[in-house]
Amino acid sequence: MPTKVEKDSITGQETTGHEWDGIKELNSPLPKWWLYVLYATIVFSVIYYVLYPSIPGITGYTKGLIGGSAREALVEKLAKAKERQSATLTQIAALEPAGIAESPELLNFSLAGGRSAFADNCAPCHGLGGAGRPGGFPSLADDAWIWGGTLEDIETSIRYGIRNDNDDSRISDMPAFGADELLEPAQIADLAEYLLAFTDRAEDQDAVARGEEPYLENCAACHGEQGEGLPELGAPRLNDQIWLYGGEREDIIAQIDKPKQGVMPGWEARLDETTIKMLTVYVHTLGGGQ
Amino acid sequence: MAEAATQQQPAAPSHSSSPEAETVLSREEQKQQPLYTGRVQVYPKSISGRVRRVKWLLLGLCLGVYYLAPWIRWDRGPGAPDQAILIDMPDRRAYFFWIEIWPQEVYYLTGILILGALALFLATSIGGRVWCGFTCPQTVWTDLYMWVERLIEGDRGARIRLDKAPPSGGKVAKKSLKHLAWLLIAFVTGGAWIMYYKDAPTLVSEFFVGESSLTVYFFTGLFTLTTYLLAGFAREQVCTYMCPWPRFQAALLDEDSLVVTYRGWRGEPRGPHRKGQTWEGRGDCIDCKLCVAVCPTGIDIRDGLQLECIGCGLCVDACDTVMDRVGRPRGLIAFDTDRNRIACSAGGEPQQPKLFRLRTILYLVLIGAIGLFMLGLLTFRSDLEVNVLHDRNPLFVTLSDGSIRNGYTIKILNKDRAERLFTLGVEGLEGASVAVIGAEEGSGEGTGEAPRLGAKPDTVASYRAFVLLPSGTLSGKLKAFSFVLTDEASGATARHDSVFRGP
């Protein structure tokens, strides 16, 4: 603070006393209304303190005459939104997934609801957009369906899950042909060659010929004579380009030797009826629905 | 505040030729030096003259355009608003006569703002703060309010006396009438603002029977209040304290800009002058202070160009009137350049102001170039656009036969007021086939025809499209290609580049 008030010689106004490179700043007074605006904000804050929750205490806070809580407002808003949706949700609950897909409004609603439910519940394993993940989490966007890709099949898979404790769960159990010594390692190698031949990748035609017999005896019942698979038993196609656990020779041998078999929870107990139906419709549109 | 105007130094020596009986002081002279200063009330005196006539003309023009423009009709066919100038917030459209702008095209607004800024720079470098003095809404409405004030309360002297007078029935009546008139103007102004956002006739018919939305009432009230406060009370304080423009105008002026100038070399030494006295050995300024009395911001222009001067030129009219009366040539205060002021002060000759100089030519060139560019954009504005979003999850899908499929979201912006049908194809991706969910029947997958997509009038149509490449066709991880959308009726096309991804 300058002790002596200095006056500018030209304007006669006081200066602030500070000097920068020979330039001094005039100490012009602020307009009064500026001060009044400050007073107005103080008056506003007092009124606010009285009307609304404001001063925090140790165990609580002052509630104010009007009160109000952002948390409660959110709950109210959510309740209102649910109420607005309730008519549509009832309609969806009453229909089969195939019926939902027929009405454009219900379909749109279900796709939106299904997308959010999918992101919450399914995406951790199956990936956003049903992209799938390496290590046994199948893509839901392609045209290969281990347990079937119709609306009904998808709904059953979601509702009861796969290889879990649910009584209605989808169950299938491929024997561990190598680990349980049902087949010799040489036979398994021949079998792998035989499977590679389905997609024209076999290198040893003799091995392919040797593999035919064990295939027809042990595998064809579930996977089909041409490797066409059987969705009812969850036996995947072997004559296409999609391999859940890898399509190289080692991968195939490992899978015959001691198969990995994925598990999916049943969502019947965790999600409500309408959510399951919306999810079904959503998954069906990801790109592979049959 | 009334005292502030009258508490002052010893009265100036009496001089019969001065048209002002009371002493006139600029705001600067009346100021004290406290921490905060109250406003010194300005009582601008009415004046007539060339500049005032121009100001009246521009005032009428600006207010006329503002109040009447929303009422101009423009037929756009059924289903579209028929108001020529309208910013339709709920439907996200802006209309200006034949032009319709979507929110995506807000860059037109950017262009207009750039042009506006450059025009302002040009006007300032030529004529100083002509924008402030003649066309700024703050000036125009303040001028209108002052005119009303003068009609009701009388001119400067009468207003000062009225403010000083003790309360009386007449005073209350005059003041009430004034504020009522101000509020009415403010309301019409606030209401007209809303008309740019809502159909004007509908708005008027709904407004007075209480059928308009709360938003409409709120904003009408808000703009009524701000007009009333800014034009009635804040006035020159807006220009001095709030507006950023005066702060950087100094950077836009140069020595060739025409600014309101007191020609001190002609006027000094100033002093009262009696009829018949000689003009030898003295200046033309008779120190009547009429220039201060008419100034709407209350300054003394004879102190030179200053922050508060809005360049309205009313002091020019004032001084010309006085010069005519005392028989001296006009132009003691005039729009003149700093170059002339310096030259003449040193005894030189004034020169014609240079209108075309590097600065103004540069602004003109920029205005021309940007204006042409914007005009070109507007002329070749397509009524069809297509946007493509490649799926992020999954980036690609391998199908059981080994072919690769990519998913896309296609958004068709149909800016036409008719329903249209388009075919969607791809370019630069050999062997690809396109399937669209929701394509018209008889097209797309399995029919051997390109998918046909419909788009409702004046909307964005959104589709999911799948592009399929047979196994082994894609070399590398990525291939760039284009979607091409063709209007079946007109043949107009729109394209959007995208990529196809594979393992």
Side-chain angles (χ1 to χ4, degrees):
Chain A
M1 282 291 285
T3 48
K4 200 174 113 254
V5 173
E6 186 189 17
K7 289 216 168 188
D8 176 51
S9 61
I10 296 169
T11 59
Q13 270 201 3
E14 293 167 10
T15 70
T16 55
H18 310 144
E19 188 175 332
W20 294 274
D21 294 343
I23 298 172
K24 285 180 184 171
E25 190 184 19
L26 293 183
N27 188 15
S28 302
L30 281 173
K32 270 259 170 59
W33 58 262
W34 208 313
L35 190 65
Y36 296 150
V37 170
L38 172 68
Y39 293 153
T41 57
I42 294 171
V43 170
F44 176 87
S45 68
V46 171
I47 297 173
Y48 191 94
Y49 273 125
V50 174
L51 292 183
Y52 290 100
S54 42
I55 307 168
I58 292 169
T59 53
Y61 54 90
T62 57
K63 298 283 189 286
L65 291 178
I66 294 181
S69 150
R71 203 177 285 267
E72 279 166 27
L74 175 70
V75 170
E76 257 173 57
K77 271 191 176 172
L78 284 178
K80 265 193 192 148
K82 276 257 180 288
E83 201 180 298
R84 273 205 304 278
Q85 294 177 342
S86 63
T88 318
L89 289 173
T90 325
Q91 272 178 285
I92 290 175
L95 285 170
E96 289 299 307
I100 298 169
E102 273 169 22
S103 148
E105 289 88 47
L106 292 184
L107 178 65
N108 259 334
F109 187 95
S110 305
L111 291 184
R115 181 178 292 114
S116 90
F118 189 88
D120 281 349
N121 301 293
C122 316
C125 292
H126 287 289
L128 279 173
R133 272 173 203 277
F137 305 105
S139 163
L140 304 176
D142 62 21
D143 61 346
W145 294 89
I146 298 168
W147 293 95
T150 65
L151 281 167
E152 289 76 27
D153 291 335
I154 294 170
E155 190 188 358
T156 310
S157 298
I158 295 173
R159 191 180 292 279
Y160 306 115
I162 292 152
R163 299 189 193 95
N164 59 38
D165 300 337
N166 192 307
D167 290 340
D168 296 310
S169 166
R170 293 192 184 275
I171 295 278
S172 73
D173 195 7
M174 173 167 156
F177 288 101
D180 293 347
E181 293 177 359
L182 301 175
L183 291 173
E184 297 295 317
Q187 281 178 301
I188 291 176
D190 292 344
L191 253 181
E193 201 67 15
Y194 186 77
L195 295 187
L196 284 172
F198 280 145
T199 43
D200 297 330
R201 292 186 294 159
E203 284 163 2
D204 182 350
Q205 289 309 321
D206 294 339
V208 173
R210 286 198 301 275
E212 184 171 9
E213 194 197 320
Y215 180 82
L216 293 176
E217 269 177 26
N218 298 290
C219 315
C222 293
H223 288 287
E225 283 185 22
Q226 301 302 315
E228 62 269 22
L230 191 61
E232 287 79 5
L233 293 174
R237 265 179 78 177
L238 302 176
N239 61 0
D240 64 9
Q241 309 279 348
I242 296 173
W243 296 84
L244 188 56
Y245 296 101
E248 299 307 315
R249 191 187 311 272
E250 314 78 86
D251 301 326
I252 295 172
I253 290 176
Q255 192 63 8
I256 299 170
D257 180 60
K258 192 177 181 199
K260 296 176 214 157
Q261 308 201 60
V263 173
M264 170 172 150
W267 295 90
E268 189 184 34
R270 310 192 193 192
L271 299 175
D272 61 41
E273 194 65 8
T274 40
T275 308
I276 290 177
K277 284 177 179 170
M278 292 195 292
L279 265 178
T280 304
V281 174
Y282 174 70
V283 169
H284 190 255
T285 60
L286 284 177
Q290 292 163 350
Chain B
M1 299 205 177
E3 309 97 276
T6 48
Q7 50 119 261
Q8 47 200 234
Q9 304 134 21
S14 64
H15 38 85
S16 60
S17 60
S18 163
E20 279 301 297
E22 78 271 12
T23 313
V24 177
L25 289 176
S26 73
R27 211 175 51 185
E28 201 54 48
E29 288 168 324
Q30 298 165 34
K31 239 198 239 165
Q32 311 265 318
Q33 179 102 27
L35 197 52
Y36 295 96
T37 45
R39 176 186 178 220
V40 178
Q41 179 77 30
V42 184
Y43 295 93
K45 191 176 168 56
S46 88
I47 191 74
S48 56
R50 280 182 302 178
V51 178
R52 182 67 260 188
R53 273 198 297 281
V54 173
K55 266 176 77 74
W56 281 134
L57 197 75
L58 283 171
L59 182 139
L61 191 73
C62 293
L63 291 180
V65 167
Y66 175 74
Y67 289 121
L68 298 179
W71 293 92
I72 306 171
R73 301 290 102 185
W74 191 268
D75 186 21
R76 294 191 181 87
D82 66 343
Q83 184 158 315
I85 305 169
L86 181 69
I87 300 164
D88 191 346
M89 288 287 188
D91 288 335
R92 307 283 188 273
R93 297 283 182 274
Y95 302 96
F96 185 83
F97 293 92
W98 64 96
I99 305 169
E100 180 188 335
I101 303 293
W102 285 32
Q104 293 91 327
E105 297 166 310
V106 78
Y107 46 77
Y108 287 112
L109 184 65
T110 316
I112 289 170
L113 289 177
I114 292 173
L115 282 178
L118 286 171
L120 202 54
F121 297 166
L122 177 67
T124 304
S125 68
I126 292 177
R129 284 170 69 182
V130 281
W131 160 262
C132 302
F134 292 84
T135 45
C136 173
Q138 176 63 23
T139 294
V140 167
W141 263 275
T142 301
D143 225 9
L144 180 68
Y145 268 46
M146 284 178 178
W147 177 68
V148 170
E149 192 170 52
R150 201 173 295 139
L151 278 187
I152 296 169
E153 295 185 354
D155 207 357
R156 177 181 160 87
R159 288 208 304 276
I160 294 177
R161 279 193 296 280
L162 185 71
D163 278 0
K164 269 206 298 190
S168 69
K171 183 174 179 176
V172 171
K174 276 183 177 172
K175 292 275 175 195
S176 315
L177 189 62
K178 177 181 83 173
H179 287 284
L180 211 66
W182 279 0
L183 278 170
L184 190 72
I185 296 172
F187 169 70
V188 174
T189 305
W193 182 262
I194 310 301
M195 289 177 190
Y196 287 91
Y197 296 85
K198 286 250 174 196
D199 185 58
T202 321
L203 182 73
V204 171
S205 67
E206 286 174 352
F207 192 89
F208 295 104
V209 289
E211 283 175 5
S212 287
S213 66
L214 261 183
T215 319
V216 166
Y217 289 115
F218 172 78
F219 278 105
T220 308
L222 182 69
F223 292 118
T224 303
L225 188 71
T226 50
T227 309
Y228 178 64
L229 290 180
L230 293 180
F233 301 90
R235 295 196 171 172
E236 83 286 347
Q237 301 180 92
V238 174
C239 314
T240 314
Y241 297 118
M242 301 180 191
C243 183
W245 182 233
R247 308 276 155 176
F248 63 87
Q249 60 152 339
L252 300 166
L253 293 175
D254 58 20
E255 58 273 27
D256 288 307
S257 304
L258 285 163
V259 291
V260 179
T261 307
Y262 166 65
R263 288 170 167 154
W265 64 92
R266 219 193 94 185
E268 301 299 328
R270 66 181 84 159
H273 178 266
R274 281 178 187 283
K275 214 167 201 170
Q277 272 183 339
T278 178
W279 290 96
E280 287 297 321
R282 56 156 297 149
D284 282 349
C285 176
I286 60 166
D287 207 13
C288 65
K289 299 204 170 182
L290 186 60
C291 53
V292 180
V294 299
C295 180
T297 69
I299 57 168
D300 188 342
I301 190 63
R302 294 173 301 173
D303 296 342
L305 186 64
Q306 48 209 287
L307 177 79
E308 290 92 339
C309 177
I310 57 169
C312 69
L314 288 181
C315 50
V316 174
D317 278 351
C319 198
D320 282 352
T321 314
V322 173
M323 288 299 108
D324 286 354
R325 210 174 310 166
V326 299
R328 302 297 294 171
R330 288 181 165 197
L332 180 55
I333 303 175
F335 286 92
D336 204 350
T337 64
D338 207 39
R339 189 187 296 285
N340 279 350
R341 188 185 62 76
I342 293 166
C344 293
S345 299
E349 286 295 306
Q351 294 170 339
Q352 278 295 312
K354 268 165 65 186
L355 286 185
F356 294 99
R357 45 192 200 270
L358 186 62
R359 190 184 279 250
T360 53
I361 291 171
L362 190 68
Y363 288 144
L364 277 173
V365 168
L366 280 175
I367 289 173
I370 295 170
L372 274 178
F373 178 69
M374 295 302 297
L375 197 69
L377 274 186
L378 203 60
T379 314
F380 297 107
R381 175 183 182 267
S382 167
D383 59 0
L384 171 66
E385 257 182 75
V386 60
N387 287 328
V388 176
L389 298 169
H390 189 282
D391 280 1
R392 296 205 163 198
N393 275 301
L395 281 173
F396 63 88
V397 173
T398 307
L399 297 188
S400 50
D401 61 357
S403 55
I404 316 279
R405 192 182 63 196
N406 279 209
Y408 303 85
T409 304
I410 310 266
K411 286 185 188 293
I412 303 172
L413 282 66
N414 178 15
K415 298 179 191 174
D416 200 357
R417 296 228 161 257
E419 185 155 359
R420 294 161 88 179
L421 207 56
F422 304 98
T423 51
L424 182 70
V426 292
E427 255 180 40
L429 201 60
E430 279 300 307
S433 61
V434 188
V436 178
I437 296 173
E440 300 285 318
E441 275 182 39
S443 70
E445 229 176 344
T447 59
E449 274 188 48
R452 282 212 303 276
L453 315 177
K456 293 215 157 50
D458 201 40
T459 52
V460 179
S462 187
Y463 289 98
R464 288 271 300 145
F466 290 116
V467 176
L468 196 72
L469 263 192
S471 177
T473 323
L474 183 71
S475 53
K477 279 180 176 300
L478 183 79
K479 179 139 175 59
F481 72 103
S482 305
F483 279 101
V484 183
L485 196 69
T486 312
D487 185 341
E488 292 221 317
S490 70
T493 60
R495 40 195 313 131
H496 199 284
D497 295 335
S498 192
V499 289
F500 190 92
R501 286 180 178 278

